[in-house]
Amino acid sequence: SLHEALVQGGIANNVAVNLHYVACEEIAEANAKNILGKLDGILVPGGFGERGVDGKIAAVTYARENRVPFFGSCLGMQCAVIEYARNVLNMPNANSREMDRSTPYPVIDLMENQKNVTEKGGTMRLGSYDCKLVPGTKVYEAYHNNTMIKERHRHRYEFNNDYLEAYEKSGMKAVGTNPETGLVEIVEIPNHKWFVGVQFHPEYK
């Protein structure tokens, strides 16, 4: 889905999109420049579990520090949030409870309505949900200046709003939220060339 969405997005914008796939398990901060240095943009996709997450976080660090356009989808957005906590908010060992249940800084946590669920599968947050966008942001422009969009979801963990104030004060903004629940759906770093993470899967549509 991601591959096809990127190709079609290129067609719509009259550019050829050359995709270069990188195994996230091969990336570390020490070699990120060698692996990612020739890319014009970095996309970190969704996924489940801890396999390869360290590499995804290293890719986020490289993109953020070197002002390489970055887009994170679902787990990719969560990796961006974790990376920012560790390296900007001075929260060592910040993590998602999916990866580390004992993390001292659970910046990504289990959705409230999932905390007592033991069966998986259909209990996930699935389907299309409203998202209210902040005018004047890069995402707002990307959605043709619409303040309300609908996108599809497939996840069980989410941004932990207990940390929202700390993120916003330091420069990562919540620019898209669910109007009913207040869940953070989109984060953005305004002073970056393009640094956006979305909790949903825009490629589904």
Side-chain angles (χ1 to χ4, degrees), residues 41-54:
I42 296 170
L43 184 148
V44 175
F48 290 94
E50 62 185 74
R51 184 177 69 85
V53 166
D54 289 343

Side-chain angles (χ1 to χ4, degrees), residues 5-6 9 19 29 43 53 57 74 89 106 118 124 126 128 131 176-177 182 188:
L6 290 165
L19 300 176
E29 286 194 34
L43 184 148
V53 166
I57 292 172
C74 201
L89 298 180
T118 56
M124 298 175 67
L126 299 169
S128 184
C131 180
T177 55
E188 181 177 300

Side-chain angles (χ1 to χ4, degrees), residues 52-124:
V53 166
D54 289 343
K56 291 181 178 183
I57 292 172
V60 174
T61 301
Y62 178 82
R64 183 180 57 78
E65 292 183 346
N66 294 278
R67 298 184 61 79
V68 177
F70 166 82
F71 185 62
S73 172
C74 201
L75 180 58
M77 175 260 204
Q78 295 177 4
C79 287
V81 169
I82 294 166
E83 190 277 336
Y84 199 84
R86 292 178 180 178
N87 297 321
V88 179
L89 298 180
N90 296 314
M91 297 180 182
N93 301 315
N95 215 328
S96 165
R97 284 201 199 273
E98 181 181 10
M99 317 306 170
D100 181 3
R101 293 191 181 277
S102 62
T103 173
Y105 303 107
V107 293
I108 303 294
D109 205 354
L110 195 63
M111 291 190 298
E112 193 63 36
N113 63 358
Q114 295 292 326
K115 288 184 177 177
N116 295 318
V117 173
T118 56
E119 299 295 325
K120 302 197 184 228
T123 60
M124 298 175 67

Side-chain angles (χ1 to χ4, degrees), residues 127-202:
S128 184
Y129 291 88
D130 288 332
C131 180
K132 185 177 181 179
L133 305 182
V134 175
T137 59
K138 291 181 174 65
V139 171
Y140 175 76
E141 294 174 4
Y143 279 98
H144 307 289
N145 298 342
N146 287 311
T147 55
M148 192 70 72
I149 61 171
K150 272 186 172 294
E151 291 286 7
R152 288 175 56 189
H153 291 252
R154 188 173 185 269
H155 64 101
R156 187 175 287 106
Y157 290 81
E158 66 185 29
F159 183 93
N160 186 343
N161 279 351
D162 290 347
Y163 296 92
L164 180 56
E165 183 178 357
Y167 277 88
E168 297 239 305
K169 282 183 176 179
S170 68
M172 178 177 275
K173 305 294 185 180
V175 298
T177 55
N178 181 281
E180 294 183 6
T181 63
L183 295 180
V184 173
E185 307 279 22
I186 309 174
V187 296
E188 181 177 300
I189 299 178
N191 64 3
H192 194 283
K193 186 183 294 184
W194 173 272
F195 191 103
V196 173
V198 300
Q199 183 58 73
F200 46 79
H201 290 265

